[in-house]
Amino acid sequence: MDVALLSGFTVVEFGGEPAARAGRALADLGATVVRIEIDGCPDAMRSRAADWIAWTYGKQIVAVADLQAAAELARNADVVLDTPFDADTIVIDPAVAPSTHWVHITPFGMEGPRARWHATDLGIMASTGNMFCTGDADRPPVRASEATSYAHVGGEAAFAAITALVSKHHQIIDVSIQECVLVANMGGAGRFFRTGARGQRSGAQLGRTREIWPTLDGFVSFGIRGGSARAASMKTIAELVEAAGIDAGSLQCDWKTWSHTTAEDVQLDAMQAAIGALFAQRSMTELYEIAVATNLMLAPANSPREVFASEQLAAREFLTTNSDGVTLPKSFVQIQAGPEIPNESRQHDVRSSRTGSSQGEGAWSGYNILEFGSGAAGPIATRYFAEHGATVLRIESVSRPDFLRAMALASQSPHGLEGSDLFDALNCGKRSLTLNLKLPESIAIVHQLVVEWADAICENYAPKAMRGFGLDYPTLAAMKPDLVMMSACLNGQTGPHKDYPGFGGQGSALSGWNSLTGWPDREPVGPFGTITDSLAPRYVAAALAAALVYRDRTGQGAYLDVSQVETGLYALSPWLIEYSLDGTIGKRYGNRSPRSCPHGAFPSAPTADGRNDRWIAIACHTDAQWQSLCEELGLSEYRDFDYGQRRDAIDLIEAAVADATTARDADALADQLQARGIEAVPVADLGDVFHNPQLEFRNHFVELTHPRLGAGRYEANGTRTNTTSTSYWRAAPLLGEDSRWALRELAHRSDAEIDHLIEIGAVEVTENSSN
């Protein structure tokens, strides 16, 4: 049963596509969202039919006479979303609505040295390091053909708006799209401080092995990895290779101990030849059917055709049909109301009655979240709450550690399980309790924490796991009817493919992002950072925040089911709508755009310290911008080409621009072109991002010290507020570092009781457990 979690809240939306995406998410969560137009001034988004259908679904469209009438609607709203630096959008001073929360969404933030720089998705992606790391080493950096940055900010701005609703203060919120996207680098810019790694493009490879493989009719994603999480898949692929009559000798390994990072090149080459031969014999559909039947960690690079034919999506009723007969994604979350609670038993102001144990003063201070799971998608979601003051307690295991921790073992870190920079980046500001969930005594501790302490549970295990532990929602809700619980896994909790295993690489393929990223004459590539790992968490955070607001207002809990694949598809709604309208299958086209020319990354001069592989992203959206670009670059012979002529001669135009930029310094040229009103942004690598003046102005990097890894830089998310500071109170926790604290302070166990729990193995001891 769907529940309107934000029922009773009104959101007014003035802005361009980034605001429209955030508003759509809030509408899906139950808010009344009103998009405003001025009579006689058609909304610019109407010219893009698929975008208009996608991002206005579920909203009210209201035309008003003038700005004064628009301001009146803003005064009566709970939240306003706008994009104040966009051309052709309504701009109103927040001072006209002093009691309304205001969410400004801009490319680089409201203030700072580059705040007023012009940038669409191309320029924003260029600024983040993500584009630099995506694509092929012998070609320019490349972005996805759909707006990756807008996809990311939609969920994060929705979370920001809901965060304003729980704040005790009137909020003017400043959301930087650049900073939102930086999470997609999985902490890469912050890790530059320790590693000096600037990033690189590896095409269809991921590290030393191929990740994207050609099939009879398309491509699949499959990674050659060892370790316990991948052992079953590698054993299955070896059996399939042998059954196909292909030499499988190179695939006879102890996969639990084998590592692709230490294997010899000759073995890896033989493995890839054998696996590639198998894939070349089969279609994408055949291979995916095998994957679903055997739990093989393989995924097709889907197009809308495969999405519309998906049994999994059909079973979950992910797609719906609007009043005009157009098929589009229904929502990014499935919501189930908690058990009915008698009115006299409801706690209508749970938050104000809690003492809380947060180290922050942010809007979520006093809220307590119990986290189960591993990898990137779950931890990133709860990190948003930790940054805004919530206490997040991770339940971990020593015997089965988070695979991000275990990556440190594969890289032979001297710090063992505490040596993972990636785990550290994604889990700062949290606590860690180590339990053996196979023992009833450990489960009893979790039950106590749920009943007495936690406001919410967030987990991203496979669907069977929590049920196997006796920690599924029906069991826990029977103990605590007002519990809010989020389950977020690859395919969701229901449907015929719910148990299919996978990580962000599989999510990127299944949701279409792989097929939209790369060059049309080459195989697709995965966006750097396996995009669904960074997209899904912000929608998870928004839904979890809305459910907590619902619980606080009604006293009733809720269960939330988010599929990582579905959030990726939701962000590509226009792509799916175009297919529904006329069968169009949008494809990858490098950096080119159907609406702007030129639109791409062009070579620039080496840096002063001799670094090559330098680029500048440039886009001309109007003929006047093109004429100004020609003046700056000395391209007078092309100055009078209109858009149609430029499109017809696109190869010539791009070559001419590239010749003119090759000897120019990217930063200096960007300054000059921005002064002319032209979108021009240096393509930053991860080191450039670390030293970016706009990010330095916004204090994007937080200085903290990890007990093993030492001094580090941790990345803030994209939201700044006018009243509260947001930050992390410490680096990521050591494994089990807070076990005794949690058992004493939250579960009220004596030292003797804790010692007994350790003795029987219910609490797993580490060298960090002495606190």
Side-chain angles (χ1 to χ4, degrees):
M1 177 178 65
D2 287 341
V3 183
L5 299 176
L6 297 179
S7 176
F9 289 107
T10 299
V11 177
V12 166
E13 176 185 299
F14 293 133
E17 185 180 332
R21 285 176 177 258
R24 168 68 200 274
L26 294 170
D28 289 344
L29 293 170
T32 297
V33 180
V34 183
R35 185 168 180 85
I36 306 300
E37 293 183 286
I38 301 289
D39 286 336
C41 299
D43 192 317
M45 202 165 63
R46 283 187 181 273
S47 65
R48 307 187 304 275
D51 288 345
W52 178 260
I53 294 168
W55 309 125
T56 61
Y57 181 73
K59 301 178 184 178
Q60 299 176 17
I61 310 300
V62 175
V64 297
D66 51 30
L67 290 178
Q68 184 176 352
E72 184 62 28
L73 289 174
R75 278 191 286 271
N76 294 320
D78 296 289
V79 175
V80 167
L81 301 170
D82 73 357
T83 52
F85 296 164
D86 279 7
D88 303 321
T89 59
I90 298 171
V91 178
I92 294 177
D93 187 343
V96 305
S99 62
T100 301
H101 302 298
W102 216 279
V103 181
H104 297 308
I105 307 171
T106 61
F108 304 109
M110 293 293 291
E111 297 179 346
R114 294 183 176 177
R116 290 287 183 155
W117 271 24
H118 305 278
T120 59
D121 180 67
L122 174 71
I124 295 167
M125 293 306 297
S127 75
T128 65
N130 192 273
M131 182 172 162
F132 178 86
C133 297
T134 300
D136 300 287
D138 63 335
R139 290 194 179 178
V142 68
R143 67 165 200 135
S145 295
E146 294 290 331
T148 307
S149 65
Y150 297 168
H152 280 80
V153 79
E156 187 155 337
F159 173 78
I162 301 167
T163 297
L165 295 177
V166 301
S167 174
K168 296 178 180 178
H169 308 284
H170 175 238
Q171 298 285 316
I172 303 295
I173 295 178
D174 172 1
V175 179
S176 157
I177 308 178
Q178 178 191 31
E179 287 186 277
C180 291
V181 177
L182 282 165
V183 173
N185 297 329
M186 299 295 150
R191 293 202 305 277
F192 175 80
F193 176 78
R194 288 184 182 140
T195 67
R198 291 184 170 271
Q200 60 183 7
R201 296 184 297 287
S202 56
Q205 299 280 120
L206 187 60
R208 299 176 65 202
T209 58
R210 177 175 281 274
E211 185 78 10
I212 307 295
W213 307 74
T215 69
L216 276 177
D217 61 350
F219 299 90
V220 293
S221 172
F222 178 81
I224 300 177
R225 310 279 192 280
S228 57
R230 301 271 187 162
S233 275
M234 294 308 303
K235 183 174 182 294
T236 297
I237 206 71
E239 293 169 352
L240 291 170
V241 167
E242 187 171 18
I246 302 167
D247 182 5
S250 61
L251 295 167
Q252 305 308 312
C253 304
D254 180 355
W255 294 113
K256 289 186 177 181
T257 59
W258 184 87
S259 172
H260 68 287
T261 61
T262 57
E264 294 183 359
D265 288 342
V266 64
Q267 183 189 25
L268 291 179
D269 290 344
M271 285 180 171
Q272 294 186 107
I275 293 171
L278 170 69
F279 292 163
Q281 297 177 1
R282 307 290 183 94
S283 69
M284 288 198 310
T285 300
E286 288 176 308
L287 289 168
Y288 186 53
E289 287 174 351
I290 292 171
V292 170
T294 63
N295 283 346
L296 177 66
M297 219 170 285
L298 171 150
N302 280 341
S303 76
R305 182 175 48 245
E306 289 78 36
V307 171
F308 274 66
S310 168
E311 294 179 341
Q312 173 66 12
L313 296 175
R316 285 174 58 80
E317 299 180 345
F318 172 67
L319 297 173
T320 191
T321 303
N322 71 8
S323 58
D324 294 322
V326 179
T327 301
L328 74 164
K330 181 181 180 182
S331 178
F332 63 90
V333 59
Q334 295 189 6
I335 307 167
Q336 174 187 335
E340 283 291 333
I341 304 173
N343 286 334
E344 62 272 15
S345 301
R346 295 187 180 190
Q347 300 178 23
H348 288 277
D349 194 4
V350 178
R351 179 173 181 263
S352 64
S353 66
R354 300 196 68 85
T355 58
S357 54
S358 170
Q359 282 70 33
E361 294 300 327
W364 294 103
S365 178
Y367 285 84
N368 303 318
I369 299 175
L370 206 55
E371 179 182 344
F372 298 82
S374 62
I380 290 174
T382 55
R383 195 182 73 158
Y384 285 101
F385 289 90
E387 184 184 32
H388 288 270
T391 298
V392 178
L393 177 63
R394 288 179 54 84
I395 303 300
E396 298 196 74
S397 170
V398 176
S399 55
R400 295 181 63 85
D402 188 319
F403 70 85
L404 294 189
R405 287 194 186 273
M407 287 172 63
L409 300 180
S411 64
Q412 299 180 329
S413 167
H415 305 296
L417 291 172
E418 309 300 351
S420 171
D421 276 306
L422 182 52
F423 179 89
D424 183 34
L426 302 186
N427 289 281
C428 47
K430 302 180 185 179
R431 291 184 178 272
S432 172
L433 165 62
T434 44
L435 297 175
N436 181 354
L437 295 180
K438 294 181 180 180
L439 297 182
E441 292 84 355
S442 297
I443 299 301
I445 292 169
V446 174
H447 287 170
Q448 183 181 358
L449 292 173
V450 168
V451 172
E452 298 180 5
W453 180 77
D455 295 294
I457 292 176
C458 188
E459 64 93 6
N460 73 326
Y461 285 131
K464 294 178 180 178
M466 293 297 276
R467 186 166 59 251
F469 293 136
L471 298 175
D472 54 298
Y473 178 71
T475 299
L476 297 178
M479 301 176 183
K480 185 173 185 172
D482 67 343
L483 177 67
V484 170
M485 183 167 177
M486 165 66 74
S487 293
C489 65
L490 190 71
N491 272 327
Q493 300 296 304
T494 60
H497 302 169
K498 69 179 187 302
D499 296 321
Y500 164 84
F503 301 109
Q506 289 72 47
S508 298
L510 288 168
S511 63
W513 284 95
N514 279 11
S515 68
L516 286 167
T517 308
W519 303 97
D521 61 332
R522 291 188 178 179
E523 65 265 88
V525 298
F528 180 67
T530 61
I531 188 169
T532 53
D533 275 338
S534 58
L535 266 180
R538 54 204 69 213
Y539 289 95
V540 167
L544 186 59
L548 286 168
V549 168
Y550 173 78
R551 191 282 313 267
D552 288 353
R553 297 175 76 209
T554 69
Q556 191 168 354
Y559 179 61
L560 312 169
D561 173 7
V562 171
S563 155
Q564 191 171 328
V565 170
E566 288 172 11
T567 56
L569 287 166
Y570 177 87
L572 291 174
S573 289
W575 184 61
L576 299 176
I577 289 169
E578 287 177 351
Y579 181 78
S580 173
L581 289 170
D582 59 14
T584 297
I585 295 179
K587 301 182 184 299
R588 60 191 174 277
Y589 37 78
N591 290 318
R592 290 176 175 175
S593 165
R595 292 181 287 273
S596 306
C597 182
H599 185 280
F602 300 93
S604 60
T607 60
D609 59 2
R611 284 184 289 117
N612 294 307
D613 200 15
R614 311 306 297 168
W615 307 86
I616 182 170
I618 299 174
C620 290
H621 308 291
T622 66
D623 289 344
Q625 290 173 357
W626 168 247
Q627 292 164 5
S628 186
L629 178 67
C630 288
E631 292 170 5
E632 179 64 43
L633 297 183
L635 302 176
S636 58
E637 64 268 40
Y638 305 110
R639 184 184 184 280
D640 294 328
F641 279 37
D642 64 19
Y643 171 74
Q645 291 170 312
R646 296 197 301 275
R647 287 291 302 178
D648 291 343
I650 191 167
D651 292 334
L652 176 66
I653 293 297
E654 289 179 341
V657 173
D659 285 345
T661 62
T662 297
R664 303 285 290 268
D665 175 77
D667 289 304
L669 180 57
D671 283 331
Q672 291 160 340
L673 294 179
Q674 287 284 346
R676 289 175 173 267
I678 298 169
E679 177 174 356
V681 180
V683 180
D685 64 27
L686 297 177
D688 299 322
V689 172
F690 187 76
H691 295 293
N692 180 281
Q694 181 66 18
L695 296 176
E696 290 177 358
F697 177 88
R698 287 177 63 85
N699 297 314
H700 177 76
F701 297 101
V702 180
E703 298 182 17
L704 297 168
T705 300
H706 186 274
R708 300 289 187 275
L709 297 171
R713 299 295 183 269
Y714 300 80
E715 296 186 61
N717 292 301
T719 298
R720 304 291 184 275
T721 73
N722 61 321
T723 59
T724 57
S725 60
T726 58
S727 191
Y728 311 105
W729 64 284
R730 73 170 180 188
L734 301 176
L735 184 61
E737 181 177 0
D738 304 293
S739 291
R740 285 189 177 271
W741 170 85
L743 293 170
R744 280 196 308 262
E745 300 299 322
L746 308 182
H748 313 298
R749 303 300 175 92
S750 67
D751 287 341
E753 290 173 313
I754 295 171
D755 289 340
H756 174 69
L757 289 168
I758 291 173
E759 183 180 351
I760 65 174
V763 175
E764 297 181 324
V765 178
T766 73
E767 62 179 350
N768 313 313
S769 302
S770 60
N771 62 329

